[in-house]
């Protein structure tokens, strides 16, 4: 994907993707993260070949996914954000219909087994829960044994157990050499699964790299509650702590951001020990994608345009 | 639009037929209404006016089938499949656009052909209609009509946002064709330009071809034989082809696969 722009609604319309470039390597999982309206889904639709960019170039397996749909699609599995299943077909009929359109489909039973829907095979789609529909969607996406899997918010609406199962399945596909591009707004999901990721905001990629690379440069966080009578001024100088650490009144929760978690924590704890101060609710967290993400999203006003 | 691979087309059309079979109101209007219509027409006493008049009535009914069973039903179906995002879903796979559109049209086309057979059979039994002058021309008219109205239905989805709106957006084509295409041969003293406009309507060449194939004439003129009708068939066949070409080009370029946002 190279310097891609995508605008909706004519020349003066809304530009959802404003110069996005990234490359997904064979066999890796690349995650697109972003707030609502960041341009994730628009980017995904360009990769899927549903729309054509106004500028820039999209290549999937060496082809233009929009123009060479017939060449690309047999090797790509797509999971859309919304199902679009006829409500009056059963799960098994839906899978059978889809399998009939594919070059080399898995057995229907195997696909349903993968997403744990075997016991719902004879139920009409109308009667499925939202999470079950997402799983059916996932089953269809992998039904054609794709080499490239495009997943647009695959686990939105899944309960925690189903989400774990979906992750397990995605990992096993990765182990088989499948390349995955996924959008999500669950930071934890990106951290769990992604080899590399890009954070989008306002139609551009604002940060890209491996989770470790993106997280580097963002501070770790220590939170605790100062006991009554102890004001923040009484704290010793903490090595590595950033000055913007929020200082609050005694008895209030306090957050310290630090670039040297262990050193800061050691100093803090030995101070607490010496003065017999109890740090209630003490928590120390290394820098995470959440930090990086919030730093990006806070930069300017988050746009609530469209999902 | 591109090629059709039969196995993929079959997969979509089988699912659509199954969905159609589960839709009671669609089944009712497809199976019961035409029978009521046939009985009503039969009871109206056409038999006194002779077999030729009966032939005109039956071919008009075939034209009505194209409008009601193919055109109107298909606009509604395409729009609802688009609004429930099924078109987009089908486009996420290996299916070509042609396979999707023809697959979805299958139940309507099957129903329309069945209704035509019923009307022709009813006409033959009740009115003792003559043996068709040129069966091939009759079939070509009927099949060409199906193709044209599938395409016009697909074009009409462009300005039909909801299934409810289809009741209104289909009216221009329905009324123009019902009145214009069926009646134009009776308008002897209308201005040339009006006749020409009516002949250019998409249903007119279809009805003309069917009447030529069956009765050897489109109206009051004397009936021709098997080869004699071919001359008269040239103009309607040309108009029909023009509509099909316009339809294919328009649908290929303008068809909307997703709801407007």
């Amino acid at each position: 994907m190279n310097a891609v722009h995508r605008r909706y609604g004519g020349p003066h319309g809304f530009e959802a993707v404003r110069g996005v470039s990234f490359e997904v390597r064979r066999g890796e999982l690349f995650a697109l993260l972003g707030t609502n309206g960041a341009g994730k889904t628009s980017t995904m639709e360009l990769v899927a070949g549903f729309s054509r960019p106004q500028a820039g170039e999209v290549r999937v397996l060496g082809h233009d996914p929009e123009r060479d749909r017939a060449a690309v699609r047999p090797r790509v599995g797509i999971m859309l954000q919304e199902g679009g299943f006829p409500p009056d077909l059963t799960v098994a009929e839906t899978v059978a219909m889809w399998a009939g359109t594919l070059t080399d489909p898995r057995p229907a039973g195997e696909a349903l087994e993968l997403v744990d829907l075997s016991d719902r095979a004879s139920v009409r789609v109308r009667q499925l829960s939202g999470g079950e529909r997402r799983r059916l969607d996932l089953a269809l996406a992998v039904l054609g044994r794709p080499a490239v899997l495009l997943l647009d918010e695959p686990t939105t609406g899944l309960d925690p157990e189903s989400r774990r199962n979906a992750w397990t399945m995605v990992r096993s596909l990765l182990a088989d050499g499948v390349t995955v591009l996924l959008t999500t707004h669950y930071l934890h999901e990106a951290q769990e699964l992604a080899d590399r990721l890009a954070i989008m905001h306002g139609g551009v990629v604002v940060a890209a790299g491996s989770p470790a690379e993106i997280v580097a440069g963002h501070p770790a966080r220590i939170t605790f509650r100062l006991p009554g009578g102890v004001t923040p001024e009484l704290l010793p100088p903490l090595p590595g702590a950033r000055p913007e650490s929020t200082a609050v009144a005694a008895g209030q929760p306090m957050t310290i951001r630090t670039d040297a978690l262990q050193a800061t924590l050691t100093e803090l704890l030995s101070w607490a020990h010496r003065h017999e101060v109890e740090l209630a609710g003490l928590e120390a967290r290394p820098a995470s994608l959440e930090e990086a993400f919030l730093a990006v999203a806070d930069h300017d006003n988050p746009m609530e345009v469209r999902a | 639009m591109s090629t059709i691979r039969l196995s993929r087309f079959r997969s979509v059309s089988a699912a659509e037929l199954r969905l159609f079979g589960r839709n009671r109101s669609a089944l009712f209007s497809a199976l019961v209404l035409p029978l009521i219509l046939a009985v009503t027409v039969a009871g109206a006493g056409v038999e006194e006016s002779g077999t030729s008049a009966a032939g005109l009535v039956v071919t008009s009914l075939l034209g009505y089938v194209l409008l009601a069973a193919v055109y109107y039903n298909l606009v509604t179906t395409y729009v609802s499949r688009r609004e429930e995002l099924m078109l987009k879903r089908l486009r996420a796979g290996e299916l070509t656009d042609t396979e999707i559109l023809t697959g979805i049209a299958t139940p309507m086309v099957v129903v329309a052909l069945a209704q035509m057979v019923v009307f022709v059979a009813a006409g033959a039994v009740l009115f003792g209609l003559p043996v068709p002058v040129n069966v091939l021309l009759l079939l070509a008219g009927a099949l060409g009509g199906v193709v044209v109205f599938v395409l016009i239905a697909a074009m009409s989805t462009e300005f039909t946002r909801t299934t409810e709106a289809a009741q209104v957006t289909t009216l221009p084509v329905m009324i123009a064709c019902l009145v214009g295409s069926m009646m134009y041969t009776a308008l002897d003293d209308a201005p040339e330009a009006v006749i020409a406009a009516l002949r250019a309507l998409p249903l007119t060449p279809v009805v003309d071809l069917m009447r030529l194939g069956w009765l050897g004439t489109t109206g009051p003129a004397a009936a021709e034989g098997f080869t004699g009708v071919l001359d008269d068939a040239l103009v309607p066949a040309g108009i029909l082809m023009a509509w099909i070409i316009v339809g294919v080009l328009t649908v290929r370029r303008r068809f909307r696969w997703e709801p407007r946002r």
Side-chain angles (χ1 to χ4, degrees), chain A residues 16-29:
Chain A
V17 180
R18 304 185 299 167
V20 166
S21 303
F22 62 83
E23 188 182 304
V24 184
R25 296 171 195 147
R26 197 160 287 241
E28 76 173 354
L29 187 143

Side-chain angles (χ1 to χ4, degrees), chain B:
Chain B
M1 310 258 270
S2 50
T3 51
I4 295 188
R5 185 177 295 172
L6 213 58
S7 61
R8 294 195 298 233
F9 163 77
R10 222 173 12 227
S11 204
V12 179
S13 56
E16 282 292 338
L17 281 168
R18 186 171 266 144
L19 285 169
F20 180 77
R22 285 176 188 169
N23 184 341
R24 275 157 212 258
S25 58
L27 274 182
F28 178 81
S29 65
L31 304 178
V32 181
L33 284 186
L35 291 180
I36 296 174
L37 196 61
V39 170
T40 312
V41 171
V46 227
E47 52 261 65
E48 289 104 60
S49 359
T51 54
S52 182
L56 293 180
V57 169
V58 172
T59 47
S60 295
L61 280 178
L62 300 188
Y64 171 77
V65 167
L66 291 175
L67 289 174
V70 177
Y71 176 67
Y72 177 77
N73 281 344
L74 201 45
V75 172
T76 313
T77 307
Y78 280 147
V79 169
S80 83
R81 295 289 181 266
R82 179 184 69 199
E83 298 304 305
E84 66 196 20
L85 293 169
M86 187 178 157
L87 292 185
K88 183 170 186 181
R89 141 76 42 200
L90 292 176
R91 277 193 115 211
E94 295 180 39
L95 290 162
T96 64
D97 293 354
T98 316
E99 286 160 357
I100 296 172
L101 292 180
T102 52
I104 290 176
T106 302
M108 287 83 212
V109 171
V110 168
V111 165
L113 294 176
Q115 290 182 355
M116 288 181 172
V117 169
V118 167
F119 284 140
V120 169
V125 171
L126 297 173
F127 311 143
L129 281 176
V131 175
V133 171
N134 185 331
V135 178
L136 293 180
L137 210 51
L138 178 62
L139 287 177
L143 294 179
V146 169
V147 173
V148 157
F149 280 97
V150 168
L151 288 167
I152 295 179
M155 285 197 269
S156 299
T157 60
E158 166 85 15
F159 46 84
T160 310
R161 290 206 179 195
T162 62
T163 49
E164 289 79 20
Q167 294 171 5
V168 179
T169 59
T170 53
L171 279 181
V173 171
M174 298 276 284
I175 291 175
C177 288
L178 270 180
V179 179
S181 303
M182 312 281 197
M183 308 295 182
Y184 91 96
T185 48
L187 301 173
D188 294 331
D189 39 358
E192 275 301 303
V194 173
I195 299 284
L198 295 181
R199 293 194 75 178
L201 289 170
L203 187 58
T204 313
V206 175
V207 172
D208 280 354
L209 289 177
M210 292 193 296
R211 285 178 180 168
L212 284 171
W214 200 333
L215 310 167
T217 174
T218 56
E224 309 259 7
F226 182 86
T227 48
V229 290
L230 292 180
D231 272 353
D232 294 336
L234 276 181
V235 172
I239 297 172
L240 192 58
M241 274 315 293
W243 272 107
I244 290 176
I245 291 167
V246 167
V248 168
L249 293 178
T250 311
V251 170
R252 189 189 285 176
R253 292 174 64 161
R254 313 252 331 161
F255 191 80
R256 252 174 211 292
W257 296 93
E258 292 175 46
R260 282 172 204 264
R261 297 188 248 222

Side-chain angles (χ1 to χ4, degrees), chain A residues 216-298:
Chain A
H218 290 278
R221 229 182 341 174
I222 303 168
T223 56
F224 53 88
R225 194 182 292 266
L226 280 173
V230 182
T231 58
E233 291 76 45
L234 295 174
L235 286 176
L238 296 170
R242 293 194 175 186
E244 79 262 19
S245 299
T246 45
V248 286
Q252 295 295 307
M254 166 155 193
T255 301
I256 295 170
R257 292 174 201 280
T258 172
D259 296 310
L261 180 57
Q262 189 180 342
T264 310
L265 202 55
T266 306
E267 186 58 35
L268 180 69
L269 290 179
S270 55
W271 167 82
H273 180 70
R274 284 197 306 274
H275 294 81
E276 294 180 357
V277 171
E278 195 204 342
L279 303 174
L282 175 67
E283 243 178 60
R285 261 179 294 168
S288 70
L289 274 182
E290 191 177 345
E291 297 284 340
F293 185 80
L294 290 176
V296 164
D298 284 347

